[in-house]
């Protein structure tokens, strides 16, 4: 019976290697799509709650998950540009 440590070790070995340009682009596309869905959901919820547009914009700007996604996207874009 496995306790999962082997799987974690294998994953970190994969993460330690340099991803291909295609892998970076796929990750960027998937993360951007997730960000767009999250933004759409927040805007939709704001509209259903009849919040002022400025409040929705503030919520989007302060949303911790969106901030994290933007930081990761910037890191992936930088990593992609280093490969050229």
């Amino acid at each position: 019976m496995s306790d999962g440590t082997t799987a974690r070790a294998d994953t970190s070995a994969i993460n330690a290697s340099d991803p291909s340009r295609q892998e970076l682009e796929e990750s960027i596309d998937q993360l951007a799509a997730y960000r767009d869905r999250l933004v759409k959901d927040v805007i939709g919820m704001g509209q259903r709650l009849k919040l002022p547009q400025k409040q929705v914009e503030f919520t989007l700007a302060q949303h911790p998950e969106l901030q994290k996604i933007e930081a990761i996207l910037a890191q992936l874009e930088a990593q992609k540009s280093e490969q050229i």
Side-chain angles (χ1 to χ4, degrees):
M1 190 161 146
S2 174
D3 64 350
T5 56
T6 305
R8 281 188 292 243
D10 291 343
T11 302
S12 40
I14 292 169
N15 291 340
S17 67
D18 289 333
S20 70
R21 185 168 182 80
Q22 181 180 354
E23 290 171 325
L24 282 172
E25 289 174 357
E26 288 173 0
S27 295
I28 290 168
D29 290 346
Q30 290 174 359
L31 200 53
Y34 174 65
R35 176 202 54 205
D36 294 344
R37 282 192 313 270
L38 187 55
V39 167
K40 184 179 175 181
D41 288 348
V42 170
I43 290 171
M45 187 173 296
Q47 289 172 342
R48 283 189 298 275
L49 295 172
K50 300 183 188 219
L51 295 175
Q53 183 64 29
K54 288 190 185 253
Q55 179 65 38
V56 173
E57 291 170 4
F58 178 78
T59 301
L60 288 170
Q62 300 300 316
H63 197 288
E65 191 167 358
L66 285 172
Q67 290 175 346
K68 187 187 303 186
I69 290 169
E70 291 298 336
I72 293 169
L73 281 170
Q75 180 183 10
L76 290 173
E77 289 289 351
Q79 195 172 356
K80 186 174 96 172
S81 68
E82 289 174 2
Q83 286 187 343
I84 296 176

